[in-house]
Amino acid sequence: MADTTTAEAPSESGGAAAPAPAVELFKIELRIKRFDPERDTKPHWESYQVEMEGTDRVLDALHEVKYHHDGTLSLRRSCAHGVCGSDAMVINGANALACTMLIKDAGKIVTVEPIRGLPVIKDLVVDMEPFFAQYRSVMPFLINESDPGYTERYQSSEDRERFDDTTKCILCAACTTSCPVYWGNSSYVGPAAIVNAHRFIFDSRDEGAADRLDILNEKSGVWRCRTAFNCSEACPREIKVTQAIEEVKRAILYDRV
Ligand code: SF4
Ligand code: FES
């Protein structure tokens, strides 16, 4: 959070410096769903009044609470720039990354909850293992037994284009944990795993498409998707998640990659 005092800005002429304009701070109320398994039997809401700038992010407001109001608040974050995917949470009722949502867009009353459908470990920290187990189940790596020799495995721009969108996934879990089918049945492999299967199924260098399609054709696979579109709306990388799921369904139906 910035200081409100004015600073001396250097003048171009080298003369007397003009005071830089003061940064406007305003109060927001942060309502955070808290849960401490050592003290609580169920989650409860706690409110904090913090002073922020409009261009601060929700993550900055959470840091303000943790560093200056209540050090027991637990949350995950790493890069703070929308790259690592670790701070997906439910902000004002919708999945978002706390590090990319600006306070001016979040409003003066901001609610923050853990992502849904995964067990809460403490406060905003959930157990991601069920999510990563689904991810691992689709073999999200290049499968090719042939020896490339001393060259690279070449690929045309057109072939690369087929899976370009799904390479952008940062495994934040926003899509899977916004999916009503996943809330109701955690054995569903979920949108993120399908996105990451898509990334390899449509890669012309890969030879594991048939195995992945067999996995996704099982009862916990793509056919559980009811095309609710929550996943595409939740994705902070704007990946066309529903479209990727549809492409995988068509590849299974028509035996064509
Ligand atoms: S597809 Fe989008 S929402 Fe889903 S895990 Fe990847 S980046 Fe996150
Ligand atoms: S902290 Fe890395 S994506 Fe937000």
Side-chain angles (χ1 to χ4, degrees):
M1 190 179 62
D3 167 348
T4 46
T5 53
T6 54
E8 296 290 303
S11 82
E12 280 179 18
S13 63
V23 176
E24 192 193 347
L25 293 177
F26 58 89
K27 275 205 169 71
I28 65 160
E29 181 182 345
L30 208 53
R31 295 180 182 162
I32 306 176
K33 200 180 237 185
R34 304 288 309 266
F35 173 67
D36 179 348
E38 293 182 0
R39 294 188 344 195
D40 305 325
T41 51
K42 57 181 189 180
H44 62 280
W45 292 92
E46 288 187 26
S47 285
Y48 305 88
Q49 310 289 329
V50 290
E51 276 196 321
M52 306 301 300
E53 296 170 22
T55 51
D56 282 332
R57 294 91 41 90
V58 172
L59 181 63
D60 297 313
L62 291 168
H63 283 164
E64 176 66 14
V65 170
K66 181 162 179 72
Y67 301 151
H68 300 289
H69 295 250
D70 185 348
T72 68
L73 176 66
S74 296
L75 65 140
R76 267 200 196 106
R77 54 98 181 90
S78 181
C79 71
H81 290 283
V83 178
C84 72
S86 58
D87 64 340
M89 0 187 132
V90 178
I91 301 173
N92 292 341
N95 282 11
L97 296 177
C99 66
T100 57
M101 179 174 280
L102 298 180
I103 291 294
K104 68 183 173 61
D105 298 326
K108 297 208 168 161
I109 299 176
V110 185
T111 62
V112 187
E113 309 164 58
I115 47 178
R116 300 179 177 130
L118 292 168
V120 176
I121 296 173
K122 185 171 183 284
D123 298 332
L124 303 172
V125 177
V126 297
D127 179 2
M128 295 287 283
E129 179 47 29
F131 172 80
F132 284 117
Q134 303 286 25
Y135 168 67
R136 288 192 297 268
S137 75
V138 299
M139 302 187 290
F141 41 81
L142 190 88
I143 298 173
N144 190 323
E145 299 299 326
S146 70
D147 181 358
Y150 291 102
T151 65
E152 298 167 52
R153 297 185 197 275
Y154 294 116
Q155 183 169 58
S156 69
S157 304
E158 291 73 29
D159 284 347
R160 175 64 174 72
E161 185 62 30
R162 293 191 70 198
F163 61 95
D164 183 66
D165 197 37
T166 47
T167 63
K168 297 176 197 154
C169 178
I170 54 173
L171 292 173
C172 67
C175 57
T176 296
T177 61
S178 72
C179 173
V181 177
Y182 185 77
W183 299 336
N185 184 346
S186 61
S187 70
Y188 171 40
V189 69
I194 301 171
V195 160
N196 285 278
H198 178 288
R199 183 255 169 269
F200 290 100
I201 287 168
F202 294 95
D203 186 331
S204 58
R205 301 162 301 180
D206 184 86
E207 295 173 345
D211 292 336
R212 290 192 199 89
L213 293 174
D214 283 347
I215 293 165
L216 291 171
N217 195 20
E218 287 172 5
K219 71 177 190 324
S220 57
V222 289
W223 306 113
R224 289 216 176 263
C225 168
R226 292 286 174 263
T227 321
F229 284 101
N230 287 26
C231 51
S232 294
E233 282 166 22
C235 179
R237 304 303 303 269
E238 298 181 357
I239 295 170
K240 297 182 191 75
V241 180
T242 310
Q243 182 179 314
I245 296 172
E246 288 303 309
E247 287 175 8
V248 171
K249 284 178 177 173
R250 280 205 297 274
I252 294 171
L253 276 179
Y254 302 115
D255 196 18
R256 205 171 55 220
V257 169

